[in-house]
Amino acid sequence: MSQIRHEPVAPTTTRFLGGGETIDRHRHDDHQLIYVSSGVLAITTEHGSWVASNDRAVWIPANTWHEHRFYGRSRFHTVGFPADGRTPLLDAERPTVIAVDTLVRELLIALTSATLTQTETRHIEAVLRDRLRRVTAQPVALPAPRDQRLADACRLVEEDLYRPCTLAQLADRVHTSERTLSRLYRDEFGMTFPQWRTRVRIFTAMIMLAEGATVTDTAHACGWATTSAFVQTFALAVGMTPGNYRAGMDKPQQE
């Protein structure tokens, strides 16, 4: 797998990157909407990590430190919005994953074309802004833990998703009580330990499928007892079956 690292990109641009390539930690003076029309993108900030494929885009507020990692051959689009202007999202102060329908997808791709005139750019931006006010949040995110005990527990689970681990076992390994660890998951993440663990599995599964793993291998590696259970859980979280998601990674994108 490639380990090429790239410098930060301009606020509005299109680039092609290979699986495993990264863009170093950086920030922008402008807000940025980030979209991959092919491949999968994982974005890490101080607030947590997000993963997006071609049915989602990630909003990064101005002056937010972030870095990117790409899985599978990726076509990467970024659109900048002035920090001192009116933002197109209702909640624009923190990173957000939004749903991308067919119209938003085409607008994002068109807007990052290098051949647009200024007049064309203004017209497309206006339509995109109007459309973005209608989108819904679709998070596949892993919030960043603050408490060290919680951080250690999360790391232990993420390092070995294949082997189920109870909350009591985790608590013992990070030298705290089951009750305290349960409270930390609720207080810091707003979810229970099983809910968070499912989120980690989905997050990891999206990346594995983008890199070409089979549905069955992904299910087993991420800790599901059966492939059918994985398919059902993935479809509820992502909005499509893992098979359809994986097939979408291989579709050629129009220039």
Side-chain angles (χ1 to χ4, degrees):
M1 180 181 292
S2 172
Q3 295 297 323
I4 297 174
R5 303 186 68 86
H6 294 270
E7 294 299 318
V9 296
T12 299
T13 189
T14 293
R15 293 173 66 173
F16 288 91
L17 295 103
E21 294 188 31
T22 62
I23 295 177
D24 290 330
R25 184 174 180 265
H26 63 285
R27 61 182 179 181
H28 301 283
D29 293 334
D30 294 334
H31 304 303
Q32 198 173 57
L33 189 62
I34 299 170
Y35 175 62
V36 284
S37 56
S38 61
V40 168
L41 169 66
I43 297 179
T44 301
T45 77
E46 62 187 279
H47 305 286
S49 300
W50 287 259
V51 64
S53 53
N54 61 12
D55 62 343
R56 289 172 168 82
V58 183
W59 172 267
I60 300 294
N63 297 311
T64 299
W65 287 102
H66 58 288
E67 57 187 296
H68 312 305
R69 186 177 183 88
F70 298 87
Y71 298 88
R73 172 110 174 121
S74 300
R75 189 180 180 203
F76 172 62
H77 312 267
T78 61
V79 176
F81 297 87
D84 57 356
R86 183 181 179 187
T87 59
L89 299 184
L90 295 177
D91 184 4
E93 300 303 315
R94 57 184 177 180
T96 305
V97 177
I98 63 170
V100 170
D101 60 18
T102 302
L103 177 56
V104 171
R105 175 188 183 278
E106 295 304 323
L107 290 170
L108 288 170
I109 293 174
L111 195 55
T112 56
S113 169
T115 62
L116 291 180
T117 66
Q118 289 186 347
T119 300
E120 289 172 329
T121 297
R122 286 196 301 269
H123 289 168
I124 295 173
E125 282 181 344
V127 177
L128 178 61
R129 284 176 174 274
D130 286 342
R131 190 65 183 178
L132 288 176
R133 296 188 182 99
R134 298 173 177 265
V135 299
T136 57
Q138 295 254 322
V140 180
L142 297 179
R146 297 185 301 271
D147 187 283
Q148 188 59 51
R149 294 164 297 181
L150 182 59
D152 290 343
C154 292
R155 176 180 50 79
L156 289 170
V157 173
E158 292 166 354
E159 288 177 349
D160 194 2
L161 288 176
Y162 175 75
R163 301 179 190 277
C165 185
T166 67
L167 187 63
Q169 290 171 327
L170 271 183
D172 184 63
R173 294 178 68 181
V174 300
H175 311 294
T176 191
S177 69
E178 181 178 0
R179 181 177 179 179
T180 296
L181 191 56
S182 177
R183 176 182 55 78
L184 287 170
Y185 274 102
R186 292 194 307 271
D187 290 350
E188 292 203 18
F189 295 165
M191 63 185 86
T192 66
F193 168 66
Q195 289 170 331
W196 173 84
R197 183 176 55 192
T198 297
R199 183 80 62 87
V200 173
R201 288 172 170 175
I202 294 295
F203 192 101
T204 305
M206 292 178 72
I207 290 172
M208 289 187 63
L209 292 168
E211 292 184 314
T214 67
V215 173
T216 298
D217 287 346
T218 301
H220 291 163
C222 293
W224 273 277
T226 65
T227 301
S228 60
F230 166 55
V231 171
Q232 182 179 18
T233 305
F234 188 95
L236 286 173
V238 179
M240 66 180 75
T241 66
N244 287 339
Y245 175 88
R246 185 178 185 274
M249 298 298 100
D250 297 328
K251 290 181 180 178
Q253 300 294 324
Q254 295 181 349
E255 300 297 328

